[in-house]
Amino acid sequence: MSSLSTESTPRERLDRAISVLGRVRMYWRGVAAMIAVGLSISLALALATKRVWRSEATILYRETIQTGRDPQSSTARAARLGPKLKDTLTARGTLAGVIEAFGLYPEKTARSMVEAVEEMKNHVGFRAQSSDTYVISFTHDDPRVAQQVAARLTQILLDDYRRDSLGTATMTRDFLRRELAEASAKVEEASRALATFLARNPQFQWGLNDSPYAPAPQPLGPPGAPAPAAARAVPARPARPADPQLAALERQLARVEALLGVARSPAAAPGQPLPPSVVEAQRARDAAAAALASAEAALAEKLATVTPIHPDAIVAKRRLEAARSQLAAAESALGLVRAGLTEVPSGEARALTPSRRAALAAERSALLRQIAGLRARGGSGRAAAVGEARGGEPGRALSTGGEARRAPAGPDEGAEERVIELETEWHRLRLDLERAREYLKTVQANERAADLSADAAENKSETELDVLDPAYLPSRPDRGRGRVFFAGAAVTFFFALGVAGARVLLNDTVYDGGDIHALGGPALLAAMPELPASPPLRERAIVPAYSVEPAGAPEYGGEPAGVPEYGGEPAGTPEYGGELTGAPEYGGELTDALEYGGKRSLACVGARHLAYPGSAGFREPEVEILGADVDPEGCGVFELLRSAPAPALAALRVLRHRLDQRRGGEPLAVAVVSPGRAEGKTALAVRLAMTLAEAERARVLLVEGHLARPRVAAILGLRLPPHASFSEQLRRRMAGEARPLGVIAVSPSLSVLAEPSLEASYPAALHSVHFEAALRTLRRYYDYVVLDGPPVLGSGDANVIEDASDGILLVARASLTRASSLTRAAEQLGDRRILGVILNDVTPRPVARKRIEIGS
């Protein structure tokens, strides 16, 4: 069984889909019946339906005053407002009040107000028409009631929203006012605490270098020039030590510490100029500190939105590291300026080895001990000067390194602790005041916005809902009888077409070649179009191939007097196998015709032996011609072929071409079978045999293979003698009688071996071994042996035909044969000898046929 490829072009798939959809027309009666019933039901429902009227009102959400307290946009607020308004509109209390006011749904209200509310919810509509408009609708069987209820629902929604907005704005304003009072009190408390501290410690002041312990700015003039007025306005600070030895030690200590500090600071380059004064260095340090704080804030902001591995976070980290390096460099520069240096020391500063660093540290410790001893002798007043010389940090010499910890405690340690406490308290009080003021500013801004919102809500001038289109009196019903009818009609049409489509998809009847290809079974050899109905052929008697029987002879088919047994050599005739006297060779013009019993007979029809070429003198032939069909008024059996339309002839000749290719010059026995009855296999077998014998291109024998229901002779219009029965000849062979197989010639190249009646004489002869032997004999005398086989399903006769033949043609009738039957028939026969499928009676429009039992 050959299989076809399932690949197809889009055009072929489209044509196939259109072809399948066209089959819906087969069920037009059912579709029409369903449509009629559906339209009747729709009309009845439309007449029984009450008209429903819908009234709508459109409200607008607008925001006229921007207070800035809501970070969301107006579109986002409108989208958030929609569900809230819908819940307010469909609240049970709201709907219950409207039902009582207008007396809606009296029957449900009498039972329960809950049922009436649920019923009203089904008729109340709320939808967002755009970003800032909403539509409220109500449906009722009275248009005026629908308008009044829609207007009432709209007004209730507006009043509730305004009341809620005013209450929310008032509550917010009151809360922020209380919060503002608390913030003001905190500011006053922080200011009072700071003022008390300044009163107790007058050395502290506001402004740059407000701490009395910060280093004083260096004079800009030449040495010995008087200080500027601003510098003189600064409170008196402890004077630098007047002892030359102490001053030299302090300068040496500053140099050592500068060397150590430069080595620790990666941002200080040797030879780099320093700020000209302590003030400039302090400003640079403050700017670096501000840059570091800004970098830290930027990094925190990035990490709040992205991960640490994000490129923006990495860039922010690098900026923070750079700010820290700049701060370290600024602090180092500030220390060098306070030590009296004008540029970063070069030379050995960058070449500090561990041994050199240890030597400097030891030198620094020794200097600290010497300075401490001199201060102890000079008094506690010089301790502050030493601290100022080392960067403005009192007690730094005593708090850095292990050597300072081991220095003898002096009387100025208590003063240093006191300075630290004062500085800490000063900064804490200032920070508290700044925080209180910032919080006060925020609360003031919020309170101002809340006041504006509350005033706008009271004056109905802020965010509010307003009626854009009031509820109208509907002039056309929203759900009338026409809509019900058209909706029902649409549903009916779709349902009917859906049922028809389902029937098409579930139907496995074969309609065209596409269905054969879809099975994936035997290939489609030809598609025979539907033939027009034609009258049956005129019944004709067969002219015997022997001399005229004398008067008083028994009925045709018996043994005439004075003549040997039928089939022997008649008197007065040449030897059997020669040419009879007065008759030309078979196939020429018939002469010496006599009237016998009112029937036209032949004295001689060229009854020659059918033998192999070169064996004309064979005394006992295996096949002989018993008679011939003579139709002087017409074309004989070939009328069936000549009356066929051109497309049918074309299909038959295509099939003949394929069989010629299969035969390849050797005899070929072809059986024509079908899955079931009434599928046109007999008519196809007859026309196929005529097409093969057309123009005497081949010797063809048409054999009756369906002995259970023979139909070949009836279709050809032949009235055969009883002794020409194929089953009877097989039975005589089974009885041991050795006689040639007798055939009937219907043309010079076409012969028939069939049954005289509609019932075979001996149907069981099909299963005998003589049947296969007879077919082998017939193949030696004919180019084609065409067998009209039996149906495949329901019996095993087709399998006998398959074993005795060289090829099987499986006939399927369009619009009648089911795909399942065709598949089962192919499976029963097997793919050993099936040549393909012939689709019979193909129509342009698929129709549903009823199976008939007459004919096959």
Side-chain angles (χ1 to χ4, degrees):
M1 183 184 302
S2 60
S3 59
L4 299 178
S5 175
T6 57
E7 296 181 359
S8 59
T9 62
R11 177 67 180 179
E12 293 174 348
R13 289 194 291 268
L14 178 60
D15 294 341
R16 177 64 180 165
I18 294 175
S19 175
V20 172
L21 291 177
R23 300 177 186 177
V24 177
R25 292 176 295 185
M26 295 188 302
Y27 308 103
W28 67 271
R29 293 184 179 86
V31 172
M34 286 187 287
I35 290 176
V37 173
L39 292 179
S40 301
I41 296 175
S42 301
L43 182 59
L45 291 176
L47 295 176
T49 300
K50 292 183 178 180
R51 293 184 176 181
V52 176
W53 308 80
R54 178 189 297 270
S55 180
E56 294 182 348
T58 305
I59 57 177
L60 174 66
Y61 169 84
R62 62 181 182 179
E63 185 174 357
T64 57
I65 297 180
Q66 299 291 338
T67 59
R69 59 185 177 88
D70 193 349
Q72 293 184 347
S73 63
S74 59
T75 304
R77 294 186 61 188
R80 183 186 61 185
L81 183 62
K84 178 180 178 181
L85 295 177
K86 184 177 181 180
D87 295 339
T88 304
L89 181 65
T90 57
R92 184 177 302 173
T94 302
L95 298 182
V98 175
I99 291 173
E100 293 177 354
F102 290 91
L104 303 175
Y105 317 112
E107 297 180 357
K108 295 184 178 295
T109 305
R111 291 195 301 267
S112 173
M113 179 59 70
V114 177
E115 294 184 9
V117 170
E118 294 299 328
E119 179 67 21
M120 188 173 182
K121 284 183 179 181
N122 298 329
H123 298 87
V124 174
F126 181 87
R127 71 177 188 276
Q129 190 172 7
S130 62
S131 61
D132 53 359
T133 56
Y134 305 94
V135 177
I136 301 173
S137 62
F138 181 71
T139 56
H140 197 264
D141 53 4
D142 188 352
R144 294 191 177 277
V145 174
Q147 179 191 17
Q148 295 173 2
V149 173
R152 181 64 176 273
L153 291 174
T154 304
Q155 190 62 37
I156 291 175
L157 185 63
L158 294 179
D159 295 341
D160 290 345
Y161 175 77
R162 290 168 180 171
R163 189 184 311 111
D164 182 68
S165 299
L166 178 60
T168 303
T170 303
M171 292 175 58
T172 304
R173 181 184 59 185
D174 296 341
F175 171 76
L176 291 178
R177 284 180 177 178
R178 292 193 299 269
E179 192 174 5
L180 178 61
E182 294 177 359
S184 301
K186 290 182 179 180
V187 171
E188 292 179 359
E189 182 180 355
S191 299
R192 183 177 297 276
L194 182 60
T196 303
F197 178 82
L198 293 176
R200 294 176 180 176
N201 302 277
Q203 65 271 25
F204 290 91
Q205 63 177 352
W206 292 98
L208 182 65
N209 296 327
D210 47 7
S211 174
Y213 304 102
Q218 296 292 333
L220 301 178
R232 291 193 300 267
V234 177
R237 299 189 180 187
R240 291 182 179 272
D243 188 356
Q245 184 179 1
L246 182 59
L249 291 175
E250 287 179 353
R251 285 193 297 272
Q252 188 176 359
L253 177 62
R255 178 180 176 279
V256 172
E257 289 183 348
L259 291 175
L260 292 174
V262 170
R264 288 191 301 266
S265 176
Q272 179 180 359
L274 297 175
S277 63
V278 176
V279 176
E280 295 295 334
Q282 184 66 34
R283 288 178 180 175
R285 187 263 177 193
D286 294 341
L292 177 61
S294 177
E296 291 177 348
L299 177 60
E301 182 180 358
K302 291 296 182 182
L303 293 179
T305 56
V306 298
T307 59
I309 62 175
H310 193 274
D312 294 344
I314 294 175
V315 172
K317 289 180 181 179
R318 292 176 180 175
R319 291 177 180 174
L320 177 61
E321 294 174 358
R324 288 176 178 173
S325 301
Q326 292 178 0
L327 179 61
E331 290 179 348
S332 176
L334 179 62
L336 294 175
V337 170
R338 287 178 176 175
L341 301 178
T342 58
E343 64 178 11
V344 178
S346 58
E348 60 181 354
R350 287 297 177 182
L352 288 181
T353 60
S355 58
R356 176 58 178 168
R357 187 184 301 277
L360 290 176
E363 183 180 358
R364 177 175 175 275
S365 300
L367 291 174
L368 288 174
R369 287 194 297 269
Q370 294 178 12
I371 292 173
L374 291 175
R375 285 180 177 176
R377 291 193 301 268
S380 61
R382 298 181 180 179
V386 176
E388 180 182 356
R390 290 195 304 269
E393 297 180 2
R396 179 176 178 182
L398 303 178
S399 62
T400 305
E403 294 82 3
R405 294 190 186 96
R406 291 191 299 269
D412 55 349
E413 289 184 358
E416 292 179 358
E417 294 295 333
R418 176 61 179 169
V419 168
I420 293 173
E421 292 178 0
L422 290 177
E423 288 279 358
T424 303
E425 183 68 16
W426 162 245
H427 288 292
R428 184 184 64 79
L429 292 175
R430 288 187 59 184
L431 183 61
D432 291 344
L433 180 59
E434 291 176 359
R435 289 176 178 175
R437 288 179 176 177
E438 292 294 333
Y439 180 68
L440 178 61
K441 292 179 180 178
T442 304
V443 174
Q444 286 176 345
N446 293 337
E447 193 268 341
R448 189 180 301 106
D451 286 340
L452 292 175
S453 299
D455 294 339
E458 292 176 355
N459 299 328
K460 301 179 182 180
S461 58
E462 199 212 356
T463 54
E464 66 172 352
L465 296 178
D466 198 2
V467 177
L468 183 61
D469 291 328
Y472 57 86
L473 180 64
S475 59
R476 181 178 299 177
D478 181 66
R479 189 175 67 246
R481 297 175 181 177
R483 291 192 177 185
V484 173
F485 176 76
F486 285 119
V491 172
T492 299
F493 276 103
F494 281 111
F495 177 77
L497 294 177
V499 171
R503 294 182 64 181
V504 169
L505 295 178
L506 297 177
N507 186 9
D508 66 339
T509 304
V510 176
Y511 292 99
D512 53 22
D515 296 329
I516 301 295
H517 294 310
L519 294 178
L524 179 65
L525 296 180
M528 287 290 297
E530 186 178 17
L531 300 179
S534 59
L537 296 179
R538 179 175 52 86
E539 187 177 13
R540 300 175 308 282
I542 297 302
V543 177
Y546 302 99
S547 61
V548 180
E549 299 172 346
E555 188 176 357
Y556 179 40
E559 298 178 358
V563 182
E565 184 181 359
Y566 187 82
E569 299 179 0
T573 61
E575 187 180 10
Y576 188 86
E579 298 182 359
L580 298 182
T581 306
E585 186 179 355
Y586 179 77
E589 298 180 359
L590 301 177
T591 60
D592 297 336
L594 302 176
E595 292 293 334
Y596 175 71
K599 299 180 181 178
R600 188 175 182 85
S601 61
L602 292 178
C604 179
V605 198
R608 301 190 316 174
H609 299 159
L610 297 176
Y612 292 109
S615 59
F618 187 63
R619 300 287 298 176
E620 295 181 359
E622 296 179 293
V623 179
E624 63 178 356
I625 297 177
L626 299 180
D629 175 29
V630 179
D631 186 11
E633 299 179 4
C635 301
V637 296
F638 281 86
E639 184 66 27
L640 292 174
L641 186 63
R642 297 181 181 181
S643 62
L649 293 176
L652 288 172
R653 287 165 182 167
V654 170
L655 183 58
R656 181 184 66 189
H657 172 69
R658 296 190 176 185
L659 291 179
D660 286 342
Q661 290 179 334
R662 177 63 182 266
R663 184 170 70 92
E666 298 294 332
L668 182 67
V670 180
V672 181
V673 298
S674 61
R677 297 178 179 177
E679 300 189 22
K681 63 176 180 57
T682 302
L684 179 64
V686 170
R687 289 185 174 88
L688 176 60
M690 295 178 184
T691 306
L692 293 173
E694 189 178 15
E696 301 184 14
R697 58 183 293 123
R699 292 176 299 174
V700 182
L701 176 63
L702 178 61
V703 180
E704 179 70 76
H706 189 193
L707 299 182
R709 298 175 64 88
R711 293 293 183 272
V712 173
I715 289 179
L716 295 175
L718 300 178
R719 189 169 68 247
L720 303 178
H723 64 273
S725 171
F726 183 34
S727 62
E728 183 64 26
Q729 296 184 52
L730 292 178
R731 185 176 184 182
R732 288 199 301 264
R733 288 194 171 210
M734 293 171 61
E737 182 179 353
R739 298 190 62 179
L741 291 172
V743 300
I744 304 298
V746 296
S747 79
S749 58
L750 177 62
S751 302
V752 177
L753 182 57
E755 295 294 322
S757 63
L758 298 180
E759 293 183 2
S761 302
Y762 187 62
L766 179 68
H767 299 278
S768 67
V769 294
H770 295 280
F771 175 76
E772 296 183 5
L775 288 184
R776 288 195 297 269
T777 300
L778 294 173
R779 275 200 295 265
R780 290 196 293 268
Y781 287 86
Y782 292 94
D783 297 325
Y784 284 101
V785 178
V786 180
L787 288 88
D788 177 28
V792 179
L793 302 177
S795 68
D797 295 349
N799 294 92
V800 177
I801 296 293
E802 176 196 9
D803 293 336
S805 60
D806 299 323
I808 299 293
L809 295 178
L810 194 57
V811 178
R813 189 177 183 186
S815 303
L816 184 64
T817 304
R818 293 191 177 277
S820 58
S821 301
L822 186 61
T823 303
R824 286 189 289 113
E827 292 176 353
Q828 180 175 335
L829 293 176
D831 56 356
R832 183 179 53 173
R833 289 180 177 148
I834 294 181
L835 302 179
V837 178
I838 301 174
L839 188 60
N840 198 18
D841 288 353
V842 178
T843 60
R845 291 186 178 181
V847 295
R849 290 192 177 98
K850 294 184 179 179
R851 185 177 294 274
I852 57 177
E853 298 297 335
I854 300 177
S856 58

